[in-house]
Amino acid sequence: MATAAPASHRSRSSGGIRRGEGAAGWLFTLPIVVILGLFLFIPVLMALWVSFSDWSGRGSPLSSTVSFIGLDNYAAITTGGGLAERNFGIALRNNAWYVLLVVPLQTALSLFLAVLVNRAVLRGRGFFRTAFYFPSVTSSVAITVLWLFLFSTTGVINEVLSWIGIAGPNWFNDPRGIVHIALGAGGEPGPAALTSGQFLGVTWWDWLAGPSVAMTAFILMAVFTTSGTFMLLFLAALQNIGAELSEAAMMDGANAWQRFWLITLPQLRPTLFTVLTLGLIGCWQVFDQIYTGTQGAPGKTTITPAYLSYTSAFTDQQWGIGAAISFILFLIIIVFTVFQRWALRERAVSMRRRRPYEQAVAAAAAARGKEAP
Amino acid sequence: MKRHTAVRLLGAGALAATAALVLAGCGQGFAGDSGGASDSDDGLTDSDDPIRVMIGSSGEAETAAVEDAVAAWAADEGVDAEVVAATNLSQELAQGFAAGSPPDLFYLSTDQLAGFVENGSVRAYGDLLDNKDDFYPSLVANFTVDGEFVCAPKDFSTLALIINTTLWEQAGLTEADIPTTWDELATVAQTLTTDGRVGLAFGAEYQRVGAFMAEAGGRLVNEDGTEAVADSPENVEALTYVKEHLADGTFAFAADVGAGWGGEAFGKELAAMVIEGNWITGGLSADYPDVQYTVAELPAGPAGEGTLQFTNCWGMAADSPNQEGVLDLVEYLTDTQQQLAFSDAFGPMPSIESAAADWEQANPELAPFLAGSAYAIGMPTNVGVGEVLTDFNAQLESLATGDPQQILQTVQSNLEAVVGG
């Protein structure tokens, strides 16, 4: 029944008194179709063309002097063997670590905060909601400046660390990767097994370096600024969940942790999907902080593909390469989103419990079939 | 049926919009070629169109000085001219060239020069200048691409050794101790290093460390810019010297003492000496007026004296409809009197030799900067060299633990890709 309805609706709409409705609809949506086409769709197509062309940045990229060079720009950053490839490899490395740390941390923290401020017993809920959300409404440029102050060599963070006897690092000037530091190998060449092989011009040893100390400060900043926004999303979802299931589970003797893990969290799945998707996209596109903060320093450890795309185009006048980087970034985001959609897809029950569940469903259906006239 | 209409409508819309864009693109192209301007004998466009000057200003003093100069010229010539201070010059220039509506005249840096020449954005006009023989030959060389003198050097700066006189005297040093060799530099840096203060600081970048390479007789690319020579024993010697003293704590990079640049390290007295250019004088008088200092030429290395020079030129847009007017304006802006006025307003040194004596007389304490012009090496100008320098600078940050030979080998291979075999 539910699937049949739209079909019958469509067949009716082509004639009778609803005749011409489609045209009217298109007339009303035409302005936005034109605006989106002109300012979004066509520029994207033009950028795609630039990524396949040798446009040098002068005049229109569609003029006759610009020629098609196929995948040359893409080849330069993926197999070129030169500086362009290594820069791209370093940018991907930096951003991959950023995503790997920021996305889980910000999701977990925002969910935790949402559960916290959702509790009816909490005093001053309004205050905490505002306080946690506040960093999200502040401009990222302002927060970056704040961060540069907090994390300077003589800044507040290092001052606090010194109270507990830790000599804080020179945060935004320390290019050592935190994994290397943890291994006690910061700055030194790694084992030959890892330094001999490489991918995108960056050795395996450097891929495994972890985010630099400077990038770690940015990671903390991203978690700090975005958790508030995602907390709001989780909060809205939490307030839509009825209390009945939790109460029923309580009657069955489920403790608070079980109720959260088995009752509340599965119901938050659509929100979780939204938060993870927005988080992934935002993290792969990180730009403002880098542009206003470190410009890729120290030791290129805060370069990201988005920032590299900008500098390649505007500073180094490699417009094709800049466009190619942004389209590879686009592909990366698509792949991650699709993977994530697959990983979080709706499943009736977990694999482990599937068989007994299916048997139960079949039995129920058989029972219903007998009852029906 | 409905779907059909949708596709057709969308297709038509996209087609119309594309057509509009293509036409717009072509329109700009044609306008740039002719623009109602007639070409004169020397191939420059000539019209009465207003002139737009875009500068990457160091501050209000510079903006005001350029505005005044351009306004004075415009009043004399009866041409409209305006000055725009860009917030991000390279980005705004790139946008202007891409859109076909660049500023007529603009500051052009050495690392962007060749790229803009190559893609035809910039008009080479150096040989048309009346005062072309007055510019320092090293500056002319810096703005020469493929044997063609592209644009008039605006002004220039060199690196020198800035010494905190108060700390110098406290350490029991006299004027006779001002270092003239690497050994002497190491000795005084040692003397001046105390708890919480290093003897000598400078930025972790080729633009400072390169001075040591010059003193050792090394360069990144050979003089005519056709060969990469980064991986030389001279450069290894220079980096090894710097590394050695970074390791013993008498030298330090500005970032490692918690300063944004050498001037800040010097002003906050985190370093007793720094290697910086002319611009430090403005920074110190504005932010740290109490710090007493003296300027000395950089000490000579194994190959003699050496320093680096930095300069911008006045770039002329190939698409400008009034190039004759622009040329006239450049001659006005680079003449002796005007350059001395600029120097007075915001500090750089005149790019013409005829102003040298006057400048030295007006700024006797800064004479070592000018003396450096005799042996200074300019920044390389090859297309794509900016990226190589960025990479080199990134590696220099870890010079204290790095291997000079290995760093220079990377730079060499990166440079070879840029300079061409």
Side-chain angles (χ1 to χ4, degrees):
Chain A
M1 179 62 195
T3 49
S8 59
H9 176 79
R10 184 174 296 167
S11 60
R12 253 205 324 269
S13 70
S14 58
I17 58 168
R18 299 206 153 181
R19 203 186 154 87
E21 214 175 46
W26 279 108
L27 192 67
F28 282 114
T29 49
L30 192 64
I32 197 69
V33 168
V34 169
I35 289 172
L36 281 184
L38 206 59
F39 294 104
L40 192 79
F41 190 60
I42 292 176
V44 167
L45 285 185
M46 281 174 77
L48 191 61
W49 160 248
V50 168
S51 78
F52 290 114
S53 78
D54 62 355
W55 186 53
S56 62
R58 181 170 180 240
S60 165
L62 300 173
S63 72
S64 55
T65 53
V66 180
S67 51
F68 177 79
I69 56 165
L71 289 170
D72 281 8
N73 288 321
Y74 291 89
I77 52 173
T78 50
T79 55
L83 198 52
E85 181 192 344
R86 201 155 70 86
N87 281 341
F88 184 62
I90 291 174
L92 273 189
R93 188 269 314 259
N94 297 339
N95 214 337
W97 282 104
Y98 183 84
V99 169
L100 193 71
L101 289 170
V102 171
V103 172
L105 280 177
Q106 77 186 7
T107 309
L109 181 66
S110 54
L111 181 58
F112 175 73
L113 292 178
V115 170
L116 215 61
V117 298
N118 191 39
R119 288 158 62 115
V121 291
L122 183 72
R123 277 162 167 263
R125 280 200 296 173
F127 168 76
F128 283 112
R129 284 181 195 182
T130 316
F132 294 146
Y133 189 56
F134 197 69
S136 308
V137 285
T138 315
S139 133
S140 62
V141 175
I143 301 254
T144 307
V145 173
L146 172 78
W147 229 249
L148 291 176
F149 274 113
L150 288 180
F151 284 81
S152 78
T153 23
T154 52
V156 178
I157 301 288
N158 279 355
E159 184 67 33
V160 172
L161 286 176
S162 72
W163 295 346
I164 51 170
I166 298 174
N170 190 349
W171 290 91
F172 281 110
N173 292 305
D174 195 336
R176 293 174 301 162
I178 57 170
V179 174
H180 278 181
I181 294 177
L183 295 174
E188 281 151 46
L194 288 171
T195 49
S196 53
Q198 59 168 35
F199 175 60
L200 289 178
V202 179
T203 64
W204 295 113
W205 173 246
D206 284 336
W207 275 98
L208 296 172
S212 66
V213 175
M215 192 53 129
T216 311
F218 279 129
I219 288 172
L220 293 175
M221 182 168 118
V223 174
F224 172 72
T225 50
T226 51
S227 295
T229 317
F230 295 143
M231 174 195 77
L232 276 197
L233 294 182
F234 278 126
L235 195 57
L238 281 172
Q239 292 183 340
N240 268 332
I241 295 178
E244 305 82 14
L245 279 176
S246 269
E247 280 167 7
M250 219 185 295
M251 296 306 291
D252 287 344
N255 63 26
W257 176 248
Q258 286 171 326
R259 269 176 292 153
F260 172 74
W261 197 246
L262 298 169
I263 307 288
T264 311
L265 197 58
Q267 294 184 79
L268 288 178
R269 200 203 309 260
T271 314
L272 199 62
F273 177 72
T274 312
V275 167
L276 286 173
T277 308
L278 290 177
L280 274 175
I281 295 174
C283 284
W284 276 112
Q285 292 180 337
V286 56
F287 176 82
D288 320 8
Q289 298 90 310
I290 311 300
Y291 180 74
T292 48
T294 55
Q295 314 242 320
K300 290 194 179 178
T301 57
T302 58
I303 285 185
T304 63
Y307 181 72
L308 184 66
S309 159
Y310 166 80
T311 51
S312 302
F314 285 97
T315 313
D316 302 327
Q317 296 158 38
Q318 307 269 14
W319 295 83
I321 287 183
I325 292 173
S326 55
F327 277 98
I328 293 182
L329 193 57
F330 171 72
L331 281 181
I332 290 174
I333 292 174
I334 298 276
V335 167
F336 268 78
T337 310
V338 168
F339 169 76
Q340 203 232 121
R341 209 186 149 91
W342 173 81
L344 277 184
R345 71 192 181 281
E346 198 74 43
R347 273 164 294 202
V349 276
S350 70
M351 291 300 240
R352 197 149 42 95
R353 300 194 191 136
R354 173 154 290 177
R355 189 167 297 162
Y357 172 81
E358 278 168 354
Q359 283 165 356
V361 170
R368 229 182 301 136
K370 270 183 204 149
E371 278 166 31
Chain B
M1 170 113 187
K2 195 169 166 191
R3 166 111 12 115
H4 236 79
T5 328
V7 170
R8 239 184 304 150
L9 260 172
L10 198 69
L15 201 70
T18 317
L21 270 166
V22 173
L23 285 177
C26 291
Q28 279 158 4
F30 291 134
D33 291 343
S34 59
S38 59
D39 288 1
S40 50
D41 302 342
D42 44 22
L44 296 181
T45 57
D46 191 8
S47 72
D48 290 333
D49 288 19
I51 288 174
R52 200 158 58 95
V53 181
M54 188 178 275
I55 63 172
S57 179
S58 62
E60 274 171 43
E62 182 168 358
T63 311
V66 178
E67 271 172 358
D68 288 350
V70 171
W73 173 82
D76 275 359
E77 298 288 316
V79 177
D80 277 344
E82 60 159 343
V83 176
V84 185
T87 43
N88 186 334
L89 184 67
S90 58
Q91 180 187 329
E92 285 172 43
L93 278 182
Q95 281 166 345
F97 290 131
S101 56
D104 301 275
L105 186 63
F106 45 85
Y107 283 10
L108 183 55
S109 64
T110 44
D111 59 334
Q112 295 217 300
L113 175 74
F116 283 149
V117 169
E118 194 183 62
N119 73 13
S121 298
V122 166
R123 173 74 165 87
Y125 66 87
D127 289 332
L128 304 174
L129 287 163
D130 283 344
N131 55 348
K132 71 168 177 167
D133 296 327
D134 200 6
F135 294 104
Y136 286 99
S138 65
L139 296 178
V140 172
N142 229 190
F143 292 112
T144 300
V145 176
D146 298 334
E148 198 171 17
F149 178 24
V150 178
C151 51
K154 187 169 73 71
D155 47 35
F156 80 114
S157 309
T158 61
L159 295 177
L161 188 67
I162 323 294
I163 299 168
N164 185 320
T165 42
T166 317
L167 298 173
W168 188 261
E169 281 159 21
Q170 273 173 14
L173 296 166
T174 64
E175 205 156 298
D177 294 313
I178 290 177
T180 54
T181 64
W182 278 8
D183 286 341
E184 288 175 24
L185 180 66
T187 314
V188 293
Q190 175 80 53
T191 315
L192 289 164
T193 302
T194 59
D195 202 19
R197 180 181 302 137
V198 295
L200 175 67
F202 43 88
E205 50 191 350
Y206 168 71
Q207 287 82 347
R208 302 290 178 280
V209 178
F212 289 100
M213 290 160 61
E215 289 154 15
R219 307 174 62 102
L220 284 183
V221 289
N222 67 351
E223 251 173 278
D224 44 8
T226 52
E227 199 186 332
V229 292
D231 189 13
S232 66
E234 290 84 8
N235 286 343
V236 174
E237 185 179 11
L239 292 193
T240 309
Y241 172 77
V242 174
K243 176 184 168 162
E244 193 180 305
H245 293 288
L246 286 173
D248 70 18
T250 54
F251 292 6
F253 289 135
D256 292 332
V257 296
W261 64 294
E264 190 185 340
F266 191 77
K268 289 184 175 168
E269 303 203 329
L270 299 166
M273 303 183 287
V274 289
I275 295 174
E276 276 299 339
N278 302 47
W279 49 83
I280 194 177
T281 58
L284 289 178
S285 61
D287 299 332
Y288 310 98
D290 299 333
V291 176
Q292 301 295 314
Y293 63 91
T294 175
V295 178
E297 283 183 68
L298 287 175
E305 291 180 299
T307 187
L308 300 179
Q309 75 183 18
F310 303 90
T311 177
N312 272 323
C313 77
W314 286 108
M316 182 195 285
D319 286 339
S320 168
N322 189 2
Q323 290 171 337
E324 287 289 351
V326 171
L327 185 69
D328 198 53
L329 176 55
V330 170
E331 281 168 358
Y332 178 83
L333 291 173
T334 52
D335 78 2
T336 314
Q337 210 178 351
Q338 194 53 55
Q339 290 222 37
L340 287 170
F342 282 152
S343 174
D344 201 33
F346 58 96
M349 293 183 288
S351 57
I352 44 176
E353 287 173 302
S354 61
D358 284 335
W359 188 84
E360 208 166 338
Q361 203 171 8
N363 308 282
E365 71 287 355
L366 303 181
F369 285 120
L370 192 60
S373 69
Y375 47 84
I377 291 179
M379 291 292 115
T381 56
N382 310 70
V383 181
V385 82
E387 251 181 301
V388 177
L389 289 185
T390 311
D391 191 69
F392 185 21
N393 292 346
Q395 296 195 64
L396 280 178
E397 281 167 19
S398 49
L399 176 62
T401 54
D403 174 13
Q405 179 85 56
Q406 204 177 343
I407 292 175
L408 289 167
Q409 273 166 4
T410 326
V411 178
Q412 175 75 19
S413 68
N414 290 338
L415 270 179
E416 280 169 3
V418 163
V419 174

